[in-house]
Amino acid sequence: YTSNGRRVMVKTRYRQREVPATLDTLDDGGLLVRYETPQEHISPGQWCVFYDGDVVVGCGIIDSVKTER
């Protein structure tokens, strides 16, 4: 599905502007989304949609949110 370090644009809300992020595959088959800039108001249960240009390349339901400081 993805190679580690794949750069994509991401949306978690319908009207949200796409933001750049990097995807990494976890050992359990899930994905870790690392945003280039911190994002607010992201919650478990929301959908996360990945784009390469105008093409949807994947999506998933957010399982957990971790903030790196």
Side-chain angles (χ1 to χ4, degrees):
Y1 173 75
T2 185
S3 58
N4 282 340
R6 181 173 181 173
R7 297 183 45 79
V8 294
M9 299 299 284
V10 177
K11 284 176 71 171
T12 55
R13 289 183 184 76
Y14 173 73
R15 295 182 188 259
Q16 176 188 21
R17 192 178 86 233
E18 297 169 5
V19 293
T22 302
L23 299 178
D24 290 314
T25 304
L26 302 174
D27 291 337
D28 66 2
L31 292 174
L32 175 64
V33 179
R34 296 180 191 267
Y35 291 95
E36 285 188 10
T37 57
Q39 301 296 302
E40 296 180 338
H41 312 296
I42 297 175
S43 301
Q46 287 179 299
W47 280 89
C48 190
V49 181
F50 315 122
Y51 296 86
D52 184 356
D54 291 336
V55 177
V56 174
V57 294
C59 64
I61 298 173
I62 298 170
D63 180 51
S64 63
V65 177
K66 297 178 185 173
T67 304
E68 295 180 3
R69 296 184 190 242

